[in-house]
mmCIF file with all atom_site columns, all heavy atoms in Angstrom:
data_model
loop_
_atom_site.group_PDB
_atom_site.id
_atom_site.type_symbol
_atom_site.label_atom_id
_atom_site.label_alt_id
_atom_site.label_comp_id
_atom_site.label_asym_id
_atom_site.label_entity_id
_atom_site.label_seq_id
_atom_site.pdbx_PDB_ins_code
_atom_site.Cartn_x
_atom_site.Cartn_y
_atom_site.Cartn_z
_atom_site.occupancy
_atom_site.B_iso_or_equiv
_atom_site.pdbx_formal_charge
_atom_site.auth_seq_id
_atom_site.auth_comp_id
_atom_site.auth_asym_id
_atom_site.auth_atom_id
_atom_site.pdbx_PDB_model_num
ATOM 1   N N   . SER G 1 1  ? 68.569 85.440 109.789 1.00 0.00 ? 1  SER G N   1
ATOM 2   C CA  . SER G 1 1  ? 67.277 84.889 110.199 1.00 0.00 ? 1  SER G CA  1
ATOM 3   C C   . SER G 1 1  ? 67.314 83.377 110.124 1.00 0.00 ? 1  SER G C   1
ATOM 4   O O   . SER G 1 1  ? 68.238 82.785 109.538 1.00 0.00 ? 1  SER G O   1
ATOM 5   C CB  . SER G 1 1  ? 66.146 85.431 109.317 1.00 0.00 ? 1  SER G CB  1
ATOM 6   O OG  . SER G 1 1  ? 66.317 85.011 107.974 1.00 0.00 ? 1  SER G OG  1
ATOM 7   N N   . GLY G 1 2  ? 66.305 82.746 110.710 1.00 0.00 ? 2  GLY G N   1
ATOM 8   C CA  . GLY G 1 2  ? 66.256 81.292 110.669 1.00 0.00 ? 2  GLY G CA  1
ATOM 9   C C   . GLY G 1 2  ? 64.928 80.755 111.149 1.00 0.00 ? 2  GLY G C   1
ATOM 10  O O   . GLY G 1 2  ? 64.083 81.496 111.665 1.00 0.00 ? 2  GLY G O   1
ATOM 11  N N   . THR G 1 3  ? 64.737 79.472 110.975 1.00 0.00 ? 3  THR G N   1
ATOM 12  C CA  . THR G 1 3  ? 63.589 78.752 111.509 1.00 0.00 ? 3  THR G CA  1
ATOM 13  C C   . THR G 1 3  ? 64.107 77.469 112.145 1.00 0.00 ? 3  THR G C   1
ATOM 14  O O   . THR G 1 3  ? 65.150 76.935 111.731 1.00 0.00 ? 3  THR G O   1
ATOM 15  C CB  . THR G 1 3  ? 62.559 78.397 110.420 1.00 0.00 ? 3  THR G CB  1
ATOM 16  O OG1 . THR G 1 3  ? 63.186 77.575 109.426 1.00 0.00 ? 3  THR G OG1 1
ATOM 17  C CG2 . THR G 1 3  ? 61.995 79.655 109.774 1.00 0.00 ? 3  THR G CG2 1
ATOM 18  N N   . ALA G 1 4  ? 63.387 76.976 113.145 1.00 0.00 ? 4  ALA G N   1
ATOM 19  C CA  . ALA G 1 4  ? 63.826 75.768 113.832 1.00 0.00 ? 4  ALA G CA  1
ATOM 20  C C   . ALA G 1 4  ? 62.646 75.130 114.547 1.00 0.00 ? 4  ALA G C   1
ATOM 21  O O   . ALA G 1 4  ? 61.680 75.814 114.900 1.00 0.00 ? 4  ALA G O   1
ATOM 22  C CB  . ALA G 1 4  ? 64.931 76.096 114.842 1.00 0.00 ? 4  ALA G CB  1
ATOM 23  N N   . PRO G 1 5  ? 62.708 73.813 114.789 1.00 0.00 ? 5  PRO G N   1
ATOM 24  C CA  . PRO G 1 5  ? 61.663 73.161 115.561 1.00 0.00 ? 5  PRO G CA  1
ATOM 25  C C   . PRO G 1 5  ? 61.626 73.727 116.987 1.00 0.00 ? 5  PRO G C   1
ATOM 26  O O   . PRO G 1 5  ? 62.659 74.124 117.539 1.00 0.00 ? 5  PRO G O   1
ATOM 27  C CB  . PRO G 1 5  ? 62.090 71.683 115.573 1.00 0.00 ? 5  PRO G CB  1
ATOM 28  C CG  . PRO G 1 5  ? 63.002 71.545 114.393 1.00 0.00 ? 5  PRO G CG  1
ATOM 29  C CD  . PRO G 1 5  ? 63.704 72.852 114.294 1.00 0.00 ? 5  PRO G CD  1
ATOM 30  N N   . CYS G 1 6  ? 60.442 73.763 117.580 1.00 0.00 ? 6  CYS G N   1
ATOM 31  C CA  . CYS G 1 6  ? 60.329 74.260 118.951 1.00 0.00 ? 6  CYS G CA  1
ATOM 32  C C   . CYS G 1 6  ? 59.230 73.489 119.678 1.00 0.00 ? 6  CYS G C   1
ATOM 33  O O   . CYS G 1 6  ? 58.333 72.912 119.064 1.00 0.00 ? 6  CYS G O   1
ATOM 34  C CB  . CYS G 1 6  ? 60.029 75.763 118.967 1.00 0.00 ? 6  CYS G CB  1
ATOM 35  S SG  . CYS G 1 6  ? 58.431 76.215 118.234 1.00 0.00 ? 6  CYS G SG  1
ATOM 36  N N   . TYR G 1 7  ? 59.323 73.502 120.999 1.00 0.00 ? 7  TYR G N   1
ATOM 37  C CA  . TYR G 1 7  ? 58.304 72.845 121.822 1.00 0.00 ? 7  TYR G CA  1
ATOM 38  C C   . TYR G 1 7  ? 58.400 73.415 123.227 1.00 0.00 ? 7  TYR G C   1
ATOM 39  O O   . TYR G 1 7  ? 59.188 72.955 124.054 1.00 0.00 ? 7  TYR G O   1
ATOM 40  C CB  . TYR G 1 7  ? 58.522 71.324 121.845 1.00 0.00 ? 7  TYR G CB  1
ATOM 41  C CG  . TYR G 1 7  ? 57.380 70.556 122.482 1.00 0.00 ? 7  TYR G CG  1
ATOM 42  C CD1 . TYR G 1 7  ? 56.217 70.288 121.757 1.00 0.00 ? 7  TYR G CD1 1
ATOM 43  C CD2 . TYR G 1 7  ? 57.461 70.114 123.793 1.00 0.00 ? 7  TYR G CD2 1
ATOM 44  C CE1 . TYR G 1 7  ? 55.161 69.587 122.330 1.00 0.00 ? 7  TYR G CE1 1
ATOM 45  C CE2 . TYR G 1 7  ? 56.413 69.416 124.381 1.00 0.00 ? 7  TYR G CE2 1
ATOM 46  C CZ  . TYR G 1 7  ? 55.264 69.147 123.644 1.00 0.00 ? 7  TYR G CZ  1
ATOM 47  O OH  . TYR G 1 7  ? 54.222 68.472 124.220 1.00 0.00 ? 7  TYR G OH  1
ATOM 48  N N   . HIS G 1 8  ? 57.637 74.474 123.508 1.00 0.00 ? 8  HIS G N   1
ATOM 49  C CA  . HIS G 1 8  ? 57.696 75.107 124.821 1.00 0.00 ? 8  HIS G CA  1
ATOM 50  C C   . HIS G 1 8  ? 56.447 75.954 125.044 1.00 0.00 ? 8  HIS G C   1
ATOM 51  O O   . HIS G 1 8  ? 55.853 76.459 124.093 1.00 0.00 ? 8  HIS G O   1
ATOM 52  C CB  . HIS G 1 8  ? 58.952 75.979 124.936 1.00 0.00 ? 8  HIS G CB  1
ATOM 53  C CG  . HIS G 1 8  ? 58.996 77.114 123.950 1.00 0.00 ? 8  HIS G CG  1
ATOM 54  N ND1 . HIS G 1 8  ? 58.665 78.410 124.287 1.00 0.00 ? 8  HIS G ND1 1
ATOM 55  C CD2 . HIS G 1 8  ? 59.319 77.161 122.631 1.00 0.00 ? 8  HIS G CD2 1
ATOM 56  C CE1 . HIS G 1 8  ? 58.794 79.191 123.228 1.00 0.00 ? 8  HIS G CE1 1
ATOM 57  N NE2 . HIS G 1 8  ? 59.186 78.459 122.204 1.00 0.00 ? 8  HIS G NE2 1
ATOM 58  N N   . HIS G 1 9  ? 56.059 76.082 126.315 1.00 0.00 ? 9  HIS G N   1
ATOM 59  C CA  . HIS G 1 9  ? 54.946 76.977 126.654 1.00 0.00 ? 9  HIS G CA  1
ATOM 60  C C   . HIS G 1 9  ? 55.432 78.108 127.552 1.00 0.00 ? 9  HIS G C   1
ATOM 61  O O   . HIS G 1 9  ? 54.650 78.972 127.940 1.00 0.00 ? 9  HIS G O   1
ATOM 62  C CB  . HIS G 1 9  ? 53.800 76.195 127.307 1.00 0.00 ? 9  HIS G CB  1
ATOM 63  C CG  . HIS G 1 9  ? 54.036 75.836 128.744 1.00 0.00 ? 9  HIS G CG  1
ATOM 64  N ND1 . HIS G 1 9  ? 53.319 76.400 129.781 1.00 0.00 ? 9  HIS G ND1 1
ATOM 65  C CD2 . HIS G 1 9  ? 54.921 74.969 129.308 1.00 0.00 ? 9  HIS G CD2 1
ATOM 66  C CE1 . HIS G 1 9  ? 53.738 75.891 130.933 1.00 0.00 ? 9  HIS G CE1 1
ATOM 67  N NE2 . HIS G 1 9  ? 54.701 75.024 130.673 1.00 0.00 ? 9  HIS G NE2 1
ATOM 68  N N   . GLN G 1 10 ? 56.728 78.089 127.900 1.00 0.00 ? 10 GLN G N   1
ATOM 69  C CA  . GLN G 1 10 ? 57.334 79.155 128.690 1.00 0.00 ? 10 GLN G CA  1
ATOM 70  C C   . GLN G 1 10 ? 58.424 79.832 127.864 1.00 0.00 ? 10 GLN G C   1
ATOM 71  O O   . GLN G 1 10 ? 58.831 79.328 126.811 1.00 0.00 ? 10 GLN G O   1
ATOM 72  C CB  . GLN G 1 10 ? 57.916 78.600 129.989 1.00 0.00 ? 10 GLN G CB  1
ATOM 73  C CG  . GLN G 1 10 ? 56.875 77.919 130.866 1.00 0.00 ? 10 GLN G CG  1
ATOM 74  C CD  . GLN G 1 10 ? 57.342 77.679 132.278 1.00 0.00 ? 10 GLN G CD  1
ATOM 75  O OE1 . GLN G 1 10 ? 58.529 77.615 132.563 1.00 0.00 ? 10 GLN G OE1 1
ATOM 76  N NE2 . GLN G 1 10 ? 56.397 77.547 133.196 1.00 0.00 ? 10 GLN G NE2 1
ATOM 77  N N   . ALA G 1 11 ? 58.895 80.982 128.346 1.00 0.00 ? 11 ALA G N   1
ATOM 78  C CA  . ALA G 1 11 ? 59.934 81.711 127.629 1.00 0.00 ? 11 ALA G CA  1
ATOM 79  C C   . ALA G 1 11 ? 60.652 82.645 128.585 1.00 0.00 ? 11 ALA G C   1
ATOM 80  O O   . ALA G 1 11 ? 60.148 82.955 129.675 1.00 0.00 ? 11 ALA G O   1
ATOM 81  C CB  . ALA G 1 11 ? 59.324 82.515 126.474 1.00 0.00 ? 11 ALA G CB  1
ATOM 82  N N   . VAL G 1 12 ? 61.828 83.092 128.183 1.00 0.00 ? 12 VAL G N   1
ATOM 83  C CA  . VAL G 1 12 ? 62.587 84.050 128.985 1.00 0.00 ? 12 VAL G CA  1
ATOM 84  C C   . VAL G 1 12 ? 61.843 85.373 129.016 1.00 0.00 ? 12 VAL G C   1
ATOM 85  O O   . VAL G 1 12 ? 61.337 85.852 127.997 1.00 0.00 ? 12 VAL G O   1
ATOM 86  C CB  . VAL G 1 12 ? 64.001 84.237 128.404 1.00 0.00 ? 12 VAL G CB  1
ATOM 87  C CG1 . VAL G 1 12 ? 64.736 85.374 129.130 1.00 0.00 ? 12 VAL G CG1 1
ATOM 88  C CG2 . VAL G 1 12 ? 64.786 82.930 128.485 1.00 0.00 ? 12 VAL G CG2 1
ATOM 89  N N   . ASP G 1 13 ? 61.789 85.980 130.201 1.00 0.00 ? 13 ASP G N   1
ATOM 90  C CA  . ASP G 1 13 ? 61.156 87.286 130.372 1.00 0.00 ? 13 ASP G CA  1
ATOM 91  C C   . ASP G 1 13 ? 62.249 88.315 130.676 1.00 0.00 ? 13 ASP G C   1
ATOM 92  O O   . ASP G 1 13 ? 62.886 88.824 129.767 1.00 0.00 ? 13 ASP G O   1
ATOM 93  C CB  . ASP G 1 13 ? 60.108 87.213 131.477 1.00 0.00 ? 13 ASP G CB  1
ATOM 94  C CG  . ASP G 1 13 ? 59.274 88.485 131.593 1.00 0.00 ? 13 ASP G CG  1
ATOM 95  O OD1 . ASP G 1 13 ? 59.355 89.334 130.679 1.00 0.00 ? 13 ASP G OD1 1
ATOM 96  O OD2 . ASP G 1 13 ? 58.551 88.628 132.592 1.00 0.00 ? 13 ASP G OD2 1
ATOM 97  N N   . ALA G 1 14 ? 62.494 88.601 131.959 1.00 0.00 ? 14 ALA G N   1
ATOM 98  C CA  . ALA G 1 14 ? 63.564 89.533 132.324 1.00 0.00 ? 14 ALA G CA  1
ATOM 99  C C   . ALA G 1 14 ? 64.921 88.871 132.085 1.00 0.00 ? 14 ALA G C   1
ATOM 100 O O   . ALA G 1 14 ? 65.141 87.714 132.467 1.00 0.00 ? 14 ALA G O   1
ATOM 101 C CB  . ALA G 1 14 ? 63.430 89.941 133.795 1.00 0.00 ? 14 ALA G CB  1
ATOM 102 N N   . VAL G 1 15 ? 65.826 89.586 131.439 1.00 0.00 ? 15 VAL G N   1
ATOM 103 C CA  . VAL G 1 15 ? 67.147 89.054 131.082 1.00 0.00 ? 15 VAL G CA  1
ATOM 104 C C   . VAL G 1 15 ? 68.199 89.625 132.033 1.00 0.00 ? 15 VAL G C   1
ATOM 105 O O   . VAL G 1 15 ? 68.275 90.845 132.211 1.00 0.00 ? 15 VAL G O   1
ATOM 106 C CB  . VAL G 1 15 ? 67.507 89.424 129.626 1.00 0.00 ? 15 VAL G CB  1
ATOM 107 C CG1 . VAL G 1 15 ? 68.891 88.902 129.258 1.00 0.00 ? 15 VAL G CG1 1
ATOM 108 C CG2 . VAL G 1 15 ? 66.458 88.863 128.675 1.00 0.00 ? 15 VAL G CG2 1
ATOM 109 N N   . PRO G 1 16 ? 69.022 88.784 132.651 1.00 0.00 ? 16 PRO G N   1
ATOM 110 C CA  . PRO G 1 16 ? 70.048 89.278 133.568 1.00 0.00 ? 16 PRO G CA  1
ATOM 111 C C   . PRO G 1 16 ? 71.122 90.085 132.844 1.00 0.00 ? 16 PRO G C   1
ATOM 112 O O   . PRO G 1 16 ? 71.312 89.936 131.634 1.00 0.00 ? 16 PRO G O   1
ATOM 113 C CB  . PRO G 1 16 ? 70.623 88.004 134.181 1.00 0.00 ? 16 PRO G CB  1
ATOM 114 C CG  . PRO G 1 16 ? 70.327 86.934 133.189 1.00 0.00 ? 16 PRO G CG  1
ATOM 115 C CD  . PRO G 1 16 ? 69.028 87.316 132.552 1.00 0.00 ? 16 PRO G CD  1
ATOM 116 N N   . ALA G 1 17 ? 71.832 90.924 133.605 1.00 0.00 ? 17 ALA G N   1
ATOM 117 C CA  . ALA G 1 17 ? 72.818 91.829 133.018 1.00 0.00 ? 17 ALA G CA  1
ATOM 118 C C   . ALA G 1 17 ? 73.951 91.094 132.321 1.00 0.00 ? 17 ALA G C   1
ATOM 119 O O   . ALA G 1 17 ? 74.566 91.634 131.397 1.00 0.00 ? 17 ALA G O   1
ATOM 120 C CB  . ALA G 1 17 ? 73.378 92.746 134.108 1.00 0.00 ? 17 ALA G CB  1
ATOM 121 N N   . GLU G 1 18 ? 74.234 89.853 132.738 1.00 0.00 ? 18 GLU G N   1
ATOM 122 C CA  . GLU G 1 18 ? 75.348 89.101 132.155 1.00 0.00 ? 18 GLU G CA  1
ATOM 123 C C   . GLU G 1 18 ? 75.044 88.572 130.758 1.00 0.00 ? 18 GLU G C   1
ATOM 124 O O   . GLU G 1 18 ? 75.941 88.082 130.069 1.00 0.00 ? 18 GLU G O   1
ATOM 125 C CB  . GLU G 1 18 ? 75.714 87.913 133.058 1.00 0.00 ? 18 GLU G CB  1
ATOM 126 C CG  . GLU G 1 18 ? 76.241 88.303 134.424 1.00 0.00 ? 18 GLU G CG  1
ATOM 127 C CD  . GLU G 1 18 ? 75.137 88.420 135.463 1.00 0.00 ? 18 GLU G CD  1
ATOM 128 O OE1 . GLU G 1 18 ? 73.943 88.594 135.070 1.00 0.00 ? 18 GLU G OE1 1
ATOM 129 O OE2 . GLU G 1 18 ? 75.457 88.323 136.668 1.00 0.00 ? 18 GLU G OE2 1
ATOM 130 N N   . LEU G 1 19 ? 73.770 88.632 130.349 1.00 0.00 ? 19 LEU G N   1
ATOM 131 C CA  . LEU G 1 19 ? 73.355 88.087 129.064 1.00 0.00 ? 19 LEU G CA  1
ATOM 132 C C   . LEU G 1 19 ? 72.752 89.167 128.180 1.00 0.00 ? 19 LEU G C   1
ATOM 133 O O   . LEU G 1 19 ? 72.296 90.198 128.665 1.00 0.00 ? 19 LEU G O   1
ATOM 134 C CB  . LEU G 1 19 ? 72.328 86.976 129.268 1.00 0.00 ? 19 LEU G CB  1
ATOM 135 C CG  . LEU G 1 19 ? 72.742 85.785 130.132 1.00 0.00 ? 19 LEU G CG  1
ATOM 136 C CD1 . LEU G 1 19 ? 71.547 84.863 130.365 1.00 0.00 ? 19 LEU G CD1 1
ATOM 137 C CD2 . LEU G 1 19 ? 73.899 85.024 129.505 1.00 0.00 ? 19 LEU G CD2 1
ATOM 138 N N   . ARG G 1 20 ? 72.739 88.895 126.864 1.00 0.00 ? 20 ARG G N   1
ATOM 139 C CA  . ARG G 1 20 ? 72.069 89.792 125.933 1.00 0.00 ? 20 ARG G CA  1
ATOM 140 C C   . ARG G 1 20 ? 71.230 88.969 124.964 1.00 0.00 ? 20 ARG G C   1
ATOM 141 O O   . ARG G 1 20 ? 71.563 87.816 124.637 1.00 0.00 ? 20 ARG G O   1
ATOM 142 C CB  . ARG G 1 20 ? 73.074 90.651 125.168 1.00 0.00 ? 20 ARG G CB  1
ATOM 143 C CG  . ARG G 1 20 ? 74.033 89.880 124.266 1.00 0.00 ? 20 ARG G CG  1
ATOM 144 C CD  . ARG G 1 20 ? 75.131 90.801 123.734 1.00 0.00 ? 20 ARG G CD  1
ATOM 145 N NE  . ARG G 1 20 ? 76.050 90.096 122.848 1.00 0.00 ? 20 ARG G NE  1
ATOM 146 C CZ  . ARG G 1 20 ? 76.061 90.211 121.526 1.00 0.00 ? 20 ARG G CZ  1
ATOM 147 N NH1 . ARG G 1 20 ? 75.191 91.028 120.940 1.00 0.00 ? 20 ARG G NH1 1
ATOM 148 N NH2 . ARG G 1 20 ? 76.928 89.555 120.786 1.00 0.00 ? 20 ARG G NH2 1
ATOM 149 N N   . VAL G 1 21 ? 70.139 89.556 124.530 1.00 0.00 ? 21 VAL G N   1
ATOM 150 C CA  . VAL G 1 21 ? 69.247 88.899 123.579 1.00 0.00 ? 21 VAL G CA  1
ATOM 151 C C   . VAL G 1 21 ? 69.833 89.054 122.181 1.00 0.00 ? 21 VAL G C   1
ATOM 152 O O   . VAL G 1 21 ? 70.166 90.158 121.755 1.00 0.00 ? 21 VAL G O   1
ATOM 153 C CB  . VAL G 1 21 ? 67.842 89.526 123.623 1.00 0.00 ? 21 VAL G CB  1
ATOM 154 C CG1 . VAL G 1 21 ? 66.938 88.878 122.571 1.00 0.00 ? 21 VAL G CG1 1
ATOM 155 C CG2 . VAL G 1 21 ? 67.234 89.371 125.015 1.00 0.00 ? 21 VAL G CG2 1
ATOM 156 N N   . THR G 1 22 ? 69.968 87.923 121.471 1.00 0.00 ? 22 THR G N   1
ATOM 157 C CA  . THR G 1 22 ? 70.550 87.980 120.124 1.00 0.00 ? 22 THR G CA  1
ATOM 158 C C   . THR G 1 22 ? 69.632 87.401 119.043 1.00 0.00 ? 22 THR G C   1
ATOM 159 O O   . THR G 1 22 ? 70.011 87.365 117.882 1.00 0.00 ? 22 THR G O   1
ATOM 160 C CB  . THR G 1 22 ? 71.907 87.269 120.084 1.00 0.00 ? 22 THR G CB  1
ATOM 161 O OG1 . THR G 1 22 ? 71.750 85.912 120.527 1.00 0.00 ? 22 THR G OG1 1
ATOM 162 C CG2 . THR G 1 22 ? 72.921 87.988 120.970 1.00 0.00 ? 22 THR G CG2 1
ATOM 163 N N   . ALA G 1 23 ? 68.446 86.968 119.418 1.00 0.00 ? 23 ALA G N   1
ATOM 164 C CA  . ALA G 1 23 ? 67.459 86.548 118.415 1.00 0.00 ? 23 ALA G CA  1
ATOM 165 C C   . ALA G 1 23 ? 66.067 86.633 119.025 1.00 0.00 ? 23 ALA G C   1
ATOM 166 O O   . ALA G 1 23 ? 65.878 86.311 120.205 1.00 0.00 ? 23 ALA G O   1
ATOM 167 C CB  . ALA G 1 23 ? 67.727 85.127 117.922 1.00 0.00 ? 23 ALA G CB  1
ATOM 168 N N   . ARG G 1 24 ? 65.109 87.090 118.220 1.00 0.00 ? 24 ARG G N   1
ATOM 169 C CA  . ARG G 1 24 ? 63.707 87.177 118.636 1.00 0.00 ? 24 ARG G CA  1
ATOM 170 C C   . ARG G 1 24 ? 62.803 86.763 117.485 1.00 0.00 ? 24 ARG G C   1
ATOM 171 O O   . ARG G 1 24 ? 63.144 86.922 116.322 1.00 0.00 ? 24 ARG G O   1
ATOM 172 C CB  . ARG G 1 24 ? 63.327 88.606 119.028 1.00 0.00 ? 24 ARG G CB  1
ATOM 173 C CG  . ARG G 1 24 ? 63.861 89.107 120.349 1.00 0.00 ? 24 ARG G CG  1
ATOM 174 C CD  . ARG G 1 24 ? 63.319 90.497 120.641 1.00 0.00 ? 24 ARG G CD  1
ATOM 175 N NE  . ARG G 1 24 ? 63.913 91.114 121.805 1.00 0.00 ? 24 ARG G NE  1
ATOM 176 C CZ  . ARG G 1 24 ? 63.446 91.014 123.045 1.00 0.00 ? 24 ARG G CZ  1
ATOM 177 N NH1 . ARG G 1 24 ? 62.339 90.302 123.245 1.00 0.00 ? 24 ARG G NH1 1
ATOM 178 N NH2 . ARG G 1 24 ? 64.045 91.602 124.044 1.00 0.00 ? 24 ARG G NH2 1
ATOM 179 N N   . SER G 1 25 ? 61.628 86.276 117.848 1.00 0.00 ? 25 SER G N   1
ATOM 180 C CA  . SER G 1 25 ? 60.574 86.058 116.868 1.00 0.00 ? 25 SER G CA  1
ATOM 181 C C   . SER G 1 25 ? 59.843 87.383 116.653 1.00 0.00 ? 25 SER G C   1
ATOM 182 O O   . SER G 1 25 ? 59.982 88.319 117.438 1.00 0.00 ? 25 SER G O   1
ATOM 183 C CB  . SER G 1 25 ? 59.592 84.995 117.364 1.00 0.00 ? 25 SER G CB  1
ATOM 184 O OG  . SER G 1 25 ? 60.215 83.733 117.411 1.00 0.00 ? 25 SER G OG  1
ATOM 185 N N   . ALA G 1 26 ? 59.031 87.439 115.610 1.00 0.00 ? 26 ALA G N   1
ATOM 186 C CA  . ALA G 1 26 ? 58.305 88.665 115.295 1.00 0.00 ? 26 ALA G CA  1
ATOM 187 C C   . ALA G 1 26 ? 57.366 89.081 116.426 1.00 0.00 ? 26 ALA G C   1
ATOM 188 O O   . ALA G 1 26 ? 57.077 90.269 116.595 1.00 0.00 ? 26 ALA G O   1
ATOM 189 C CB  . ALA G 1 26 ? 57.525 88.481 113.999 1.00 0.00 ? 26 ALA G CB  1
ATOM 190 N N   . ASP G 1 27 ? 56.889 88.115 117.233 1.00 0.00 ? 27 ASP G N   1
ATOM 191 C CA  . ASP G 1 27 ? 55.989 88.440 118.339 1.00 0.00 ? 27 ASP G CA  1
ATOM 192 C C   . ASP G 1 27 ? 56.730 88.880 119.588 1.00 0.00 ? 27 ASP G C   1
ATOM 193 O O   . ASP G 1 27 ? 56.116 89.114 120.632 1.00 0.00 ? 27 ASP G O   1
ATOM 194 C CB  . ASP G 1 27 ? 55.069 87.265 118.652 1.00 0.00 ? 27 ASP G CB  1
ATOM 195 C CG  . ASP G 1 27 ? 55.816 86.021 119.143 1.00 0.00 ? 27 ASP G CG  1
ATOM 196 O OD1 . ASP G 1 27 ? 57.048 86.092 119.342 1.00 0.00 ? 27 ASP G OD1 1
ATOM 197 O OD2 . ASP G 1 27 ? 55.164 84.971 119.331 1.00 0.00 ? 27 ASP G OD2 1
ATOM 198 N N   . GLY G 1 28 ? 58.055 88.976 119.500 1.00 0.00 ? 28 GLY G N   1
ATOM 199 C CA  . GLY G 1 28 ? 58.856 89.429 120.629 1.00 0.00 ? 28 GLY G CA  1
ATOM 200 C C   . GLY G 1 28 ? 59.447 88.323 121.478 1.00 0.00 ? 28 GLY G C   1
ATOM 201 O O   . GLY G 1 28 ? 60.271 88.599 122.363 1.00 0.00 ? 28 GLY G O   1
ATOM 202 N N   . THR G 1 29 ? 59.052 87.084 121.257 1.00 0.00 ? 29 THR G N   1
ATOM 203 C CA  . THR G 1 29 ? 59.587 85.971 122.046 1.00 0.00 ? 29 THR G CA  1
ATOM 204 C C   . THR G 1 29 ? 61.095 85.875 121.876 1.00 0.00 ? 29 THR G C   1
ATOM 205 O O   . THR G 1 29 ? 61.610 85.855 120.757 1.00 0.00 ? 29 THR G O   1
ATOM 206 C CB  . THR G 1 29 ? 58.944 84.639 121.621 1.00 0.00 ? 29 THR G CB  1
ATOM 207 O OG1 . THR G 1 29 ? 57.536 84.713 121.824 1.00 0.00 ? 29 THR G OG1 1
ATOM 208 C CG2 . THR G 1 29 ? 59.506 83.472 122.430 1.00 0.00 ? 29 THR G CG2 1
ATOM 209 N N   . ILE G 1 30 ? 61.802 85.816 122.999 1.00 0.00 ? 30 ILE G N   1
ATOM 210 C CA  . ILE G 1 30 ? 63.265 85.696 122.971 1.00 0.00 ? 30 ILE G CA  1
ATOM 211 C C   . ILE G 1 30 ? 63.640 84.299 122.491 1.00 0.00 ? 30 ILE G C   1
ATOM 212 O O   . ILE G 1 30 ? 63.211 83.297 123.073 1.00 0.00 ? 30 ILE G O   1
ATOM 213 C CB  . ILE G 1 30 ? 63.856 85.973 124.361 1.00 0.00 ? 30 ILE G CB  1
ATOM 214 C CG1 . ILE G 1 30 ? 63.630 87.440 124.738 1.00 0.00 ? 30 ILE G CG1 1
ATOM 215 C CG2 . ILE G 1 30 ? 65.344 85.630 124.400 1.00 0.00 ? 30 ILE G CG2 1
ATOM 216 C CD1 . ILE G 1 30 ? 64.008 87.786 126.169 1.00 0.00 ? 30 ILE G CD1 1
ATOM 217 N N   . GLN G 1 31 ? 64.451 84.225 121.443 1.00 0.00 ? 31 GLN G N   1
ATOM 218 C CA  . GLN G 1 31 ? 64.846 82.943 120.870 1.00 0.00 ? 31 GLN G CA  1
ATOM 219 C C   . GLN G 1 31 ? 66.315 82.603 121.095 1.00 0.00 ? 31 GLN G C   1
ATOM 220 O O   . GLN G 1 31 ? 66.713 81.453 120.936 1.00 0.00 ? 31 GLN G O   1
ATOM 221 C CB  . GLN G 1 31 ? 64.542 82.924 119.372 1.00 0.00 ? 31 GLN G CB  1
ATOM 222 C CG  . GLN G 1 31 ? 63.069 82.984 119.036 1.00 0.00 ? 31 GLN G CG  1
ATOM 223 C CD  . GLN G 1 31 ? 62.309 81.729 119.422 1.00 0.00 ? 31 GLN G CD  1
ATOM 224 O OE1 . GLN G 1 31 ? 62.893 80.710 119.775 1.00 0.00 ? 31 GLN G OE1 1
ATOM 225 N NE2 . GLN G 1 31 ? 60.993 81.792 119.373 1.00 0.00 ? 31 GLN G NE2 1
#
């Protein structure tokens, strides 16, 4: 787990087949 500074109002939604999600926030936001 970790914490880090952030500054964004957009986020990744659909993920292409070439990539995989390897971190998320508790609210589901892809990190």
Side-chain angles (χ1 to χ4, degrees):
S1 64
T3 60
C6 64
Y7 190 80
H8 62 100
H9 77 111
Q10 301 195 337
V12 173
D13 188 12
V15 179
E18 296 91 339
L19 302 173
R20 63 189 181 105
V21 177
T22 57
R24 286 184 187 269
S25 292
D27 64 5
T29 300
I30 293 172
Q31 294 291 349

